[in-house]
Amino acid sequence: MDRPSVVVKQLSAGDRARWDAFVRACPEATFFHLSAWEGIVREVFRHRTFFLFAERAGEIIGVLPLAEVRSRLFGHALTSLPFCVYGGIAGFAEAVAPLEAEAEAIARRLGVQHLELRNVMARHADWPRQDLYVTFRKPIHADDDANMREIPRKQRAMVRKGIANGLASEIDGDVERFFALYADNVHRHGTPALPKAFFARLLKEFGPDCEVLTVTDSAGRPLSSVLSFYFRDEVLPYYAGDAEAARELAANDFKYWELMRRAAARGYRLFDFGRSKVGTGSFSFKKNWGFVPQPLSYEYRLYKRDEVPQNNPLNPKYRAFIALWRRLPRPVANALGPHIVRNLG
């Protein structure tokens, strides 16, 4: 008897529940494969989406979320998935070739310059790859003392400095304090801020799987904040911001300790410190916590370009823009930022 063939389809409203059930059960899938990203990317950032799934005998065996990003400055791409650090195909081996074939067909039909799959692990030795990014993931224990002991000595001293300074952490029900700290932080670094509506949408769509933690000083003033995702047994601090006073009081260090401590108490057993560019300050900060960098294999199919795009702040051609952005008044930067950053993905 012949085995049923694999069919590739696009996500519809009626497929969302079984798509998410597959994602939550699939070992290769990540928080960024959940179906809610389709509406977020399409409605908040106005990118055309193509959430593909492979089906055999009525059962989903693989998923591939994609979005088309058009930008005069940064080019025309089909990506899995903009604004997400992990992507690519998640599923059984039989799903890979049909999903990739459909993705390439869509890419050629759209006339994009390249297809980008943000894989955690390499799939194609012969595809161009970008080795700029790494991720930091580490198991955590149920016991606070065990987690504290695993933090290297110098970094542990910074966490204890934050505790000694009388800092406290609180869970926020909205993104107001987070966004103020985040927008100020990225402006100081010369980067446009994502729109506040995006963060509010994340809280709405993901409910208890998305949370804002804010650190305050002894007078109750907000110093540092982080928006995190929860998926299976993992906690993923994803967006963060700090006031200028945070460094002196070790509020940033205290923030991540508090997130780790709270997550461990709730039964989460893996801390995903997220993506960083090699050689940056955030890369060094995460290594100082005792996390070992793990390369990310972003793979490309190039159609109308000769090399992998370098759409990141380390690219020398963006340095003038970064310097200019830092000089803009923050209200102006916050107003203009969403129109620019939607194409950065």
Side-chain angles (χ1 to χ4, degrees):
M1 183 175 179
D2 293 337
R3 195 173 192 187
S5 60
V6 176
V7 179
V8 175
K9 300 179 179 179
Q10 284 202 41
L11 178 70
S12 67
D15 299 314
R16 290 184 183 275
R18 63 194 191 105
W19 172 296
D20 286 340
F22 175 82
V23 166
R24 292 187 184 280
C26 176
E28 294 179 342
T30 71
F31 184 84
F32 306 101
H33 287 87
L34 291 169
S35 66
W37 287 101
E38 189 277 329
I40 293 169
V41 171
R42 176 171 47 84
E43 295 172 14
V44 176
F45 297 107
R46 303 189 305 279
H47 295 316
R48 190 176 177 185
T49 56
F50 303 86
F51 273 47
L52 309 177
F53 65 91
E55 191 177 63
R56 185 179 59 213
E59 296 292 329
I60 295 178
I61 62 169
V63 298
L64 174 58
L66 293 160
E68 178 189 18
V69 180
R70 290 178 174 270
S71 169
R72 289 183 179 179
L73 183 60
F74 303 106
H76 185 194
L78 186 64
T79 302
S80 177
L81 193 64
F83 307 101
C84 300
V85 296
Y86 310 136
I89 295 170
F92 295 96
E94 306 96 301
V96 174
L99 285 169
E100 284 182 351
E102 182 62 18
E104 290 214 57
I106 293 170
R108 293 182 186 279
R109 187 169 72 245
L110 295 174
V112 301
Q113 293 172 293
H114 68 272
L115 167 68
E116 177 184 0
L117 301 182
R118 296 181 175 179
N119 303 325
V120 176
M121 303 294 291
R123 287 189 180 273
H124 300 280
D126 58 333
W127 285 27
R129 192 167 69 238
Q130 187 178 75
D131 297 320
L132 178 65
Y133 296 108
V134 297
T135 189
F136 295 83
R137 292 162 58 83
K138 184 179 179 182
I140 54 176
H141 308 284
D143 181 67
D144 288 348
D145 290 339
N147 288 322
M148 183 69 84
R149 283 194 299 270
E150 290 200 358
I151 302 173
R153 182 177 56 82
K154 288 185 178 180
Q155 186 59 49
R156 189 164 64 237
M158 294 301 294
V159 172
R160 287 179 170 156
K161 178 181 177 181
I163 296 171
N165 283 331
L167 304 183
S169 67
E170 303 167 359
I171 303 301
D172 291 356
D174 56 38
V175 299
E176 295 302 317
R177 295 196 298 180
F178 161 80
F179 184 77
L181 290 164
Y182 157 81
D184 181 61
N185 202 154
V186 296
H187 182 235
R188 293 199 309 269
H189 287 86
T191 305
L194 288 157
K196 186 193 291 188
F198 169 59
F199 301 111
R201 181 69 177 269
L202 292 175
L203 282 186
K204 178 181 177 182
E205 289 288 344
F206 294 114
D209 293 333
C210 179
E211 187 177 81
V212 172
L213 180 147
T214 298
V215 169
T216 59
D217 65 12
S218 56
R221 290 171 297 205
L223 292 172
S224 188
S225 190
V226 58
L227 183 149
S228 303
F229 300 132
Y230 292 87
F231 183 71
R232 293 197 285 247
D233 66 340
E234 306 174 18
V235 57
L236 301 84
Y238 202 65
Y239 293 106
D242 307 286
E244 290 190 81
R247 184 170 185 175
E248 182 180 348
L249 295 171
N252 192 36
D253 312 87
F254 178 79
K255 172 180 68 185
Y256 289 114
W257 165 249
E258 280 293 282
L259 178 64
M260 184 182 293
R261 183 186 65 79
R262 286 172 175 268
R266 290 165 55 181
Y268 291 89
R269 291 295 172 262
L270 195 143
F271 196 92
D272 186 328
F273 230 148
R275 184 183 80 176
S276 289
K277 301 177 189 73
V278 175
T280 62
S282 66
F283 175 93
S284 299
F285 178 77
K286 293 169 187 179
K287 281 193 69 178
N288 289 343
W289 276 76
F291 285 68
V292 177
Q294 303 168 35
L296 289 172
S297 295
Y298 288 9
E299 295 179 336
Y300 295 79
R301 296 294 274 170
L302 306 179
Y303 304 111
K304 297 181 180 180
R305 58 168 74 242
D306 296 326
E307 58 185 20
V308 171
Q310 299 295 322
N311 300 340
N312 65 81
L314 297 183
N315 188 331
K317 77 176 187 177
Y318 300 133
R319 287 176 184 165
F321 171 82
I322 291 170
L324 172 64
W325 198 263
R326 284 174 173 161
R327 292 197 295 270
L328 286 177
R330 190 151 69 87
V332 175
N334 285 351
L336 295 176
H339 302 288
I340 297 171
V341 79
R342 66 179 292 269
N343 295 314
L344 295 178

